[in-house]
Amino acid sequence: DQQVKQNSPSLSVQEGRISILNCDYTNSMFDYFLWYKKYPAEGPTFLISISSIKDKNEDGRFTVFLNKSAKHLSLHIVPSQPGDSAVYFCAAYNAGKSTFGDGTTLTVKP
Amino acid sequence: GAVVSQHPSRVICKSGTSVKIECRSLDFQATTMFWYRQFPKKSLMLMATSNEGSKATYEQGVEKDKFLINHASLTLSTLTVTSAHPEDSSFYICSANEQGSGSPLHFGNGTRLTVT
């Protein structure tokens, strides 16, 4: 049973437009949710997080929204840039462990 | 920012041999490090939690005699894949929290293991 799901394996957007990456989870005990970005042949790097007691966190072009009742979070990137092209992993944290989704490959076209 | 270094980045070995992968926190001390395995187009699967000075905690389904973990210092954890088989071929990646439990993970760049 996969506790963190990213149902879209890929997403393609035009430069300057908004990218919306989605993530669903099943465990209501998760304390934090995090987004990581991964380029080929590199380890993931932390992008932005949100506590389970919040519903929005913004950092520059990146905003994460959390809907606890729906057990859903999303990452908004606006405006999208070609350098944002990467694999984005959603992760949920509880009891000392982080559980990852399968990732969404974002391609931003110039 | 905090850096986690993982070595080697790529290794090819023959079936039956053992391979050691090192994970170092370069500018912070990590009492806990995490070892993940990633299958193609799949998520990072937690294999084990490496605890400095004590035994690692393995996830269900991960053979501890197959994947030996040693965390001998606050900056170094090693994963040894023993008696490797082709099905062990995968991308292995380590991570650590700089600021303790709950803070974002810092990842190494991973090790691509190919067993022939």
Side-chain angles (χ1 to χ4, degrees):
Chain A
D1 177 37
Q2 194 165 4
Q3 295 190 61
V4 179
K5 292 184 181 180
Q6 294 176 256
N7 292 317
S8 297
S10 63
L11 173 68
S12 181
V13 299
Q14 206 66 36
E15 180 178 7
R17 306 295 289 269
I18 186 171
S19 296
I20 300 177
L21 297 101
N22 294 302
C23 179
D24 297 294
Y25 62 96
T26 58
N27 187 349
S28 59
M29 300 301 291
F30 286 131
D31 299 315
Y32 290 92
F33 301 90
L34 308 97
W35 285 93
Y36 292 86
K37 177 179 177 179
K38 184 182 183 300
Y39 293 116
E42 294 183 10
T45 55
F46 169 70
L47 195 56
I48 191 169
S49 66
I50 188 167
S51 164
S52 61
I53 62 173
K54 302 252 176 124
D55 55 19
K56 178 182 176 181
N57 187 26
E58 189 173 352
D59 183 2
R61 296 186 297 114
F62 304 93
T63 303
V64 56
F65 295 92
L66 176 62
N67 182 333
K68 285 191 70 176
S69 61
K71 292 190 175 68
H72 176 84
L73 66 153
S74 61
L75 173 67
H76 293 212
I77 306 173
V78 56
S80 301
Q81 299 173 354
D84 295 330
S85 298
V87 178
Y88 288 79
F89 288 98
C90 168
Y93 174 85
N94 172 250
K97 296 179 187 177
S98 295
T99 304
F100 287 80
D102 286 349
T104 297
T105 300
L106 172 66
T107 303
V108 180
K109 297 179 180 179
Chain B
V3 176
V4 172
S5 174
Q6 188 171 342
H7 179 80
S9 57
R10 286 181 174 273
V11 58
I12 301 172
C13 70
K14 293 185 177 180
S15 288
T17 61
S18 295
V19 174
K20 180 186 282 189
I21 303 169
E22 292 187 349
C23 181
R24 295 181 185 272
S25 55
L26 296 185
D27 51 0
F28 66 99
Q29 294 183 331
T31 55
T32 303
M33 290 185 175
F34 304 91
W35 287 96
Y36 291 85
R37 180 173 178 176
Q38 185 182 21
F39 294 98
K41 299 191 185 299
K42 287 294 182 184
S43 69
L44 300 165
M45 302 296 297
L46 180 64
M47 298 174 65
T49 302
S50 171
N51 304 299
E52 189 269 334
S54 64
K55 291 182 180 180
T57 305
Y58 289 81
E59 295 300 301
Q60 190 174 10
V62 178
E63 300 175 59
K64 57 184 176 184
D65 295 329
K66 173 78 172 173
F67 299 99
L68 298 179
I69 290 172
N70 184 278
H71 195 152
S73 78
L74 287 171
T75 59
L76 174 64
S77 174
T78 60
L79 168 68
T80 301
V81 183
T82 62
S83 188
H85 290 279
E87 56 264 33
D88 298 325
S89 298
S90 193
F91 187 69
Y92 294 88
I93 191 163
C94 70
S95 68
N97 299 103
E98 180 184 12
Q99 297 173 6
S101 188
S103 61
L105 295 170
H106 298 285
F107 286 87
N109 281 341
T111 298
R112 171 68 61 191
L113 170 63
T114 303
V115 184
T116 60

